[in-house]
Amino acid sequence: IQVYNNDSSTTLYIGGSDVTTSNGIPVPPQSFSTIIDAGKTMILYGVVSTGSINVRVLEISDESSGR
């Protein structure tokens, strides 16, 4: 999974279900996250400090390997 923060001014923070702006992985405005090998059961969450933003998510899977 790779996440793109399409906002022009707000940082996105990604992580698990307990993600906050203090413990999440920051994705600055107009930039991509690192690539995350999420597996079949991982759920990715995102938060911002206030309001909402536009985010793009890309997920690629190799069905034959079960990933």
Side-chain angles (χ1 to χ4, degrees), residues 4-42:
Y4 180 72
N5 180 353
N6 199 41
D7 194 77
S8 61
S9 62
T10 303
T11 298
L12 167 69
Y13 299 88
I14 57 175
S17 61
D18 63 343
V19 68
T20 67
T21 57
S22 298
N23 67 12
I25 298 169
V27 182
Q30 300 288 299
S31 64
F32 290 92
S33 70
T34 57
I35 294 174
I36 301 166
D37 187 5
K40 285 183 168 183
T41 60
M42 181 178 175

Side-chain angles (χ1 to χ4, degrees), residues 20-63:
T20 67
T21 57
S22 298
N23 67 12
I25 298 169
V27 182
Q30 300 288 299
S31 64
F32 290 92
S33 70
T34 57
I35 294 174
I36 301 166
D37 187 5
K40 285 183 168 183
T41 60
M42 181 178 175
I43 299 173
L44 187 65
Y45 294 84
V47 297
V48 293
S49 58
T50 184
S52 61
I53 63 171
N54 183 287
V55 174
R56 313 289 168 88
V57 177
L58 174 67
E59 178 181 16
I60 298 174
S61 175
D62 180 355
E63 285 187 33

